[in-house]
Amino acid sequence: HPKTAQFDFAIGEFHCIDRTKEKDGSWRQVSSIFIWEYILNGYAIQNMHWKGEGWTGTNVLVFSEEKDRWIFSHFNNFEGQKISFFEFEVMQKGRELVNVYSQKEGQKASRMAYYDIDPSGFKWRWDSILPGESISNQTLQMMLICKRAKGA
């Protein structure tokens, strides 16, 4: 599918350094593995993410022709989190791919960006923006530095 081609750079297995902001404001860093693959004959993408300490997660991305937006489902086993669904727009900005979504009216918005993309890997960051704040006041929540696994 032409829209899934936006994520061609991420298809495969990656070994990542994963930095997550904790509730107390400190940062936790672990190694992780990220595997992206096409599913449903190329109409959707699934990624699976394994971090140290037993954390696992998966995402499924499907492009809705009707809404002209990506539908994203997310599930992980962190603190008993339930499945979450949201829609986002993908914007290409030079060598950066940016996803922007708002969870609910009046709640924080989020911005996920893939950047420094090249054949050997990519970087990814997730920022949150509180209601009424400008994008310049975004708060970094998570960051990944991913390198393609050898032979992948």
Side-chain angles (χ1 to χ4, degrees):
H1 189 274
K3 290 291 185 175
T4 58
Q6 293 175 307
F7 293 99
D8 280 351
F9 69 90
I11 299 301
E13 179 177 334
F14 296 85
H15 295 188
C16 306
I17 301 297
D18 188 316
R19 295 187 68 220
T20 305
K21 190 173 188 178
E22 299 292 331
K23 291 178 183 176
D24 66 3
S26 65
W27 288 90
R28 179 173 52 95
Q29 181 171 306
V30 297
S31 295
S32 64
I33 297 172
F34 225 158
I35 298 175
W36 289 61
E37 60 190 20
Y38 293 113
I39 59 173
L40 302 172
N41 292 325
Y43 280 85
I45 299 169
Q46 180 175 18
N47 65 48
M48 294 145 290
H49 193 182
W50 294 270
K51 292 186 188 184
E53 305 165 0
W55 186 97
T56 59
T58 189
N59 302 301
V60 176
L61 296 82
V62 179
F63 187 79
S64 169
E65 297 286 345
E66 296 156 358
K67 295 182 177 187
D68 195 36
R69 295 175 73 93
W70 284 91
I71 309 297
F72 184 93
S73 61
H74 172 78
F75 177 79
N76 69 52
N77 67 346
F78 181 69
E79 295 180 354
Q81 182 177 355
K82 297 179 179 157
I83 295 175
S84 56
F85 299 93
F86 48 92
E87 299 176 7
F88 63 88
E89 294 181 59
V90 174
M91 296 170 278
Q92 188 83 37
K93 294 184 176 182
R95 294 189 54 140
E96 185 174 279
L97 192 64
V98 179
N99 309 335
V100 178
Y101 68 93
S102 182
Q103 292 181 325
K104 288 184 183 174
E105 188 65 35
Q107 291 186 353
K108 70 179 179 186
S110 291
R111 176 183 178 271
M112 297 179 285
Y114 300 86
Y115 60 101
D116 290 348
I117 299 166
D118 65 35
S120 68
F122 61 91
K123 294 179 182 173
W124 177 88
R125 65 180 286 144
W126 168 42
D127 304 291
S128 62
I129 307 153
L130 296 173
E133 290 190 352
S134 74
I135 198 158
S136 63
N137 290 335
Q138 62 197 9
T139 303
L140 178 62
Q141 300 295 320
M142 182 185 285
M143 183 174 66
L144 297 172
I145 301 170
C146 297
K147 294 294 179 192
R148 190 171 298 280
K150 293 189 187 313

